Amino acid sequence: MIETEVELLRLIEKNANLKVEKIAKLMGKSKEEIEELIASLEKKKAILGYSTLIDWAKVENEEEVTAMVDVKVTPARGVGFDKVAERIYRFPEVKAVYLMSGAYDLSVSVRGSTMMEIGHFISEKLSTLDSVLSTTTHFVLKKYKHDGIILEDEDDDDKRIVVSP
């Protein structure tokens, strides 16, 4: 991948809302060159989509529960972990699946309305798959940073009491 493509990808990874004109100005290119470059990267599937990061904790009555589930599986003969991962990522509750090194094979990010909803998904859908040997579930209690974005208000004063000897 050429340096210009990488520069463009880094810019839109930080802010997918940047206008083509702004990107062109930042990169010292014409609007048309940037449009062609974006189209080329989309065609190559280097750019898979555009998303917005939302702090759901700040949206009234819309909080979601997120869990990270460590999954130990039996890989399928001839295809390894790919078919198992594909079976898991097709569930609508699943937001991400990663092949991991270490004690567990897959890390699965799951979202639901309640802990109970996630629990039902794990016990009734995920754990019942033939290739799944075991799961360990970790519920996210608070998000501090996601995809490089700090979710806390940085200008909040430190509310802790100063303790001195």
Side-chain angles (χ1 to χ4, degrees), residues 9-164:
L9 292 172
R10 292 202 191 283
L11 280 171
I12 63 175
E13 181 181 41
K14 287 182 185 171
N15 183 359
N17 198 32
L18 280 175
K19 303 286 184 235
V20 174
E21 295 81 7
K22 175 78 172 177
I23 296 169
K25 186 175 181 181
L26 288 169
M27 293 181 61
K29 305 282 183 191
S30 72
K31 178 184 170 195
E32 292 75 23
E33 287 176 296
I34 297 302
E35 287 171 338
E36 287 176 24
L37 191 53
I38 290 172
S40 168
L41 290 166
E42 288 172 342
K43 185 176 180 182
K44 286 193 234 181
K45 299 210 183 277
I47 298 173
L48 298 173
Y50 302 89
S51 64
T52 302
L53 179 59
I54 298 169
D55 187 352
W56 288 106
K58 294 184 178 165
V59 179
E60 195 171 326
N61 299 321
E62 289 297 326
E63 280 193 64
E64 292 183 328
V65 178
T66 302
M68 300 302 295
V69 185
D70 297 327
V71 185
K72 184 79 173 157
V73 301
T74 302
R77 183 168 297 225
V79 291
F81 296 100
D82 294 347
K83 285 293 181 192
V84 179
E86 180 181 353
R87 177 80 172 100
I88 292 170
Y89 70 59
R90 294 213 179 272
F91 289 113
E93 298 89 343
V94 173
K95 300 305 170 197
V97 178
Y98 306 99
L99 179 62
M100 305 297 289
S101 63
Y104 289 88
D105 302 309
L106 299 172
S107 180
V108 181
S109 176
V110 180
R111 280 198 223 148
S113 300
T114 63
M115 286 181 162
M116 188 69 76
E117 185 178 296
I118 291 173
H120 284 299
F121 165 74
I122 293 166
S123 64
E124 295 171 13
K125 294 180 181 178
L126 183 61
S127 295
T128 60
L129 296 176
D130 291 336
S131 54
V132 172
L133 301 173
S134 67
T135 64
T136 301
T137 304
H138 310 273
F139 285 97
V140 175
L141 302 177
K142 183 176 182 179
K143 293 180 186 177
Y144 295 99
K145 185 175 183 177
H146 184 83
D147 283 344
I149 306 293
I150 296 171
L151 300 176
E152 299 234 319
D153 294 328
E154 292 183 38
D155 56 342
D156 282 352
D157 292 330
D158 192 349
K159 304 279 192 282
R160 295 178 291 176
I161 299 172
V162 177
V163 178
S164 59

